[in-house]
Amino acid sequence: MKKRTIIRFEELSFTKIGELDRNKSVIIIPVSPLEAHGPHLPIGTDMLITEEICREMYRRIKRKRRSIIPVMYPFQAFGHCGANKDVMGSVSVDVKAFGKIMHDTLRSLAAQGFRYSTIITFHLDPFYIKAIHRSIGKMERVYGMKVAEPVSKFFYLNGGISHAGKEETSIMLYLYPYLVDKIYKSLERVEIEFSILDFRKTLRELGAKDAYTGNPSEASIEHGRKLFNDLVNFCVESVFELMEGKYRNFMPRPLGYLPLFLQRK
């Protein structure tokens, strides 16, 4: 029988969960919907990358801070992906319903005494991220649970990311090369004009007819390796800051004013 190397929430009995030190435990919650990622990447791209981030985070946390107890929560394979809702394979949930599920999940964990949680998602739809941060805000104000969502912060502070473009394709080449169609090498650059007035439009409606933006043909394994490792290190340091009371989530100001009722339906 394999020895458990990762503490998984679903593998614990209620008595074992009760024994976890709430001052040292951090619940890692991976979440992402299925969404079209161009003709060259699988619809589970965000899920696959998110899973790898979580696994590598777990290893690095245990290596650097043995006092911390990371606990992996089951993958939440749903979310709002309105930008590609009109492309085959994308499965989108109403953003308010998604936000309510995230809020109630965190509230239930807080009611069991857990003080720290980290939401990991490689899916960066603006409505989706706004819903997560609204849930986090209420958790911190009402229930006192500290929750980090570091992946969007990493990209917001580093100039953003195109959809299924150079960055995502590079990471997939590094992690899952056998899932990347070689057609990526011949895909043309796709640039779209985007403003606050375009939040309700899909990528296809904005001109990205093949469900990607940017330039996937520029992708490389080397770039994917560096980007993935930089991102994981950022997430790990975010966990340390969270448990030291120093972490602050981040959203660009326009996103803060984005009303969820404008979601693409």
Side-chain angles (χ1 to χ4, degrees), residues 11 35 37 51 78 108 117 123 167 171 184 190 200 217 251-252 254-255:
E11 294 180 354
E35 182 185 29
H37 278 73
E51 285 183 321
F78 60 89
S108 184
S117 181
H123 180 65
E167 296 81 12
I171 292 178
Y184 84 91
V190 174
R200 301 196 75 174
S217 66
M251 273 199 311
L255 198 57

Side-chain angles (χ1 to χ4, degrees), residues 190-234:
V190 174
E191 301 291 348
I192 58 174
E193 296 292 329
F194 188 82
S195 72
I196 191 71
L197 300 176
D198 294 319
F199 272 114
R200 301 196 75 174
K201 295 180 180 179
T202 67
L203 290 184
R204 277 187 167 176
E205 290 171 337
L206 291 169
K209 61 182 179 65
D210 287 324
Y212 76 91
T213 62
N215 195 355
S217 66
E218 293 180 347
S220 68
I221 294 174
E222 293 73 20
H223 182 64
R225 180 185 296 108
K226 182 180 186 309
L227 183 56
F228 178 78
N229 282 291
D230 287 349
L231 176 55
V232 171
N233 285 334
F234 185 85

Side-chain angles (χ1 to χ4, degrees), residues 95-112:
V95 74
K96 292 183 180 180
F98 166 72
K100 182 69 165 59
I101 293 172
M102 293 305 298
H103 170 268
D104 287 357
T105 299
L106 292 169
R107 183 180 63 180
S108 184
L109 291 169
Q112 297 176 44

